[in-house]
Amino acid sequence: MENYYELNEIKVSYKPTFNLTERPLVNSSAKIAKLLRDIWDDDTIQLFETFKVIFLNAQIKILGVMDIGLGGTDSTPVDVRRIFSTALLCNSVNIILSHNHPSGNLQPSNADRLITSRIIEAGELLNIKVLDHIIITDNGYLSFTDEGFM
């Protein structure tokens, strides 16, 4: 006798509540940093690290921003699968990585560089481009692209 298993249907849908022509265009690291500072919680920027991803369409217009990881004072976990599953679900073809440094130090750590490389590599397999990685502090920002780190 054959065993039959009940299968769950998986359905994916995408129903944005906005008009893409009205979405902000991010064409400079300064503009991205300002947007990030506007949405970052001022009460926690010097308290713990948060890793956020900005999802963009092909015209580099923002589809949305998502918190990926919430960590401690000097690190945060980053789930690469979550980044790309979200990118695929919202039809994003470009992404911008970002996280804060509660210490105020803008220099990327070895861990920052490593996770950026891993995410870039994963994106290449899916044809999703990582445009930048922005480190935010209470007093400034650093762009991996502007500094030639990517």
Side-chain angles (χ1 to χ4, degrees):
M1 176 155 70
E2 293 184 40
N3 290 328
Y4 291 95
Y5 299 96
E6 185 176 322
L7 299 176
N8 294 320
E9 178 182 356
I10 298 172
K11 181 179 178 181
V12 176
S13 67
Y14 178 63
K15 298 176 184 176
T17 59
F18 52 81
N19 184 338
L20 278 175
T21 59
E22 298 169 358
R23 302 309 293 173
L25 176 69
V26 289
N27 52 7
S28 74
S29 61
K31 200 170 190 179
I32 298 162
K34 183 186 178 334
L35 173 130
L36 288 167
R37 282 299 288 131
D38 288 347
I39 64 171
W40 220 280
D41 185 348
D42 286 335
D43 294 334
T44 63
I45 195 164
Q46 294 182 49
L47 187 59
F48 53 79
E49 280 196 17
T50 304
F51 196 97
K52 297 178 185 283
V53 176
I54 302 171
F55 298 93
L56 307 150
N57 68 7
Q59 289 75 41
I60 314 175
K61 291 195 174 195
I62 297 174
L63 299 170
V65 180
M66 182 176 190
D67 287 357
I68 298 296
L70 183 64
T73 57
D74 62 359
S75 67
T76 186
V78 178
D79 187 342
V80 177
R81 292 173 296 191
R82 188 168 178 214
I83 293 170
F84 288 105
S85 65
T86 303
L88 292 168
L89 287 171
C90 70
N91 253 0
S92 176
V93 296
N94 297 295
I95 60 175
I96 296 172
L97 313 173
S98 66
H99 77 283
N100 64 310
H101 278 178
S103 67
N105 179 5
L106 285 171
Q107 291 307 307
S109 67
N110 287 337
D112 294 341
R113 292 174 191 253
L114 179 62
I115 194 63
T116 302
S117 295
R118 285 183 57 216
I119 295 169
I120 290 170
E121 187 176 318
E124 287 172 353
L125 292 172
L126 297 168
N127 207 24
I128 297 173
K129 186 169 173 115
V130 179
L131 300 178
D132 206 343
H133 185 160
I134 305 285
I135 296 175
I136 296 289
T137 68
D138 198 33
N139 296 313
Y141 75 94
L142 175 134
S143 160
F144 275 49
T145 300
D146 291 354
E147 297 298 320
F149 298 148
M150 27 182 315

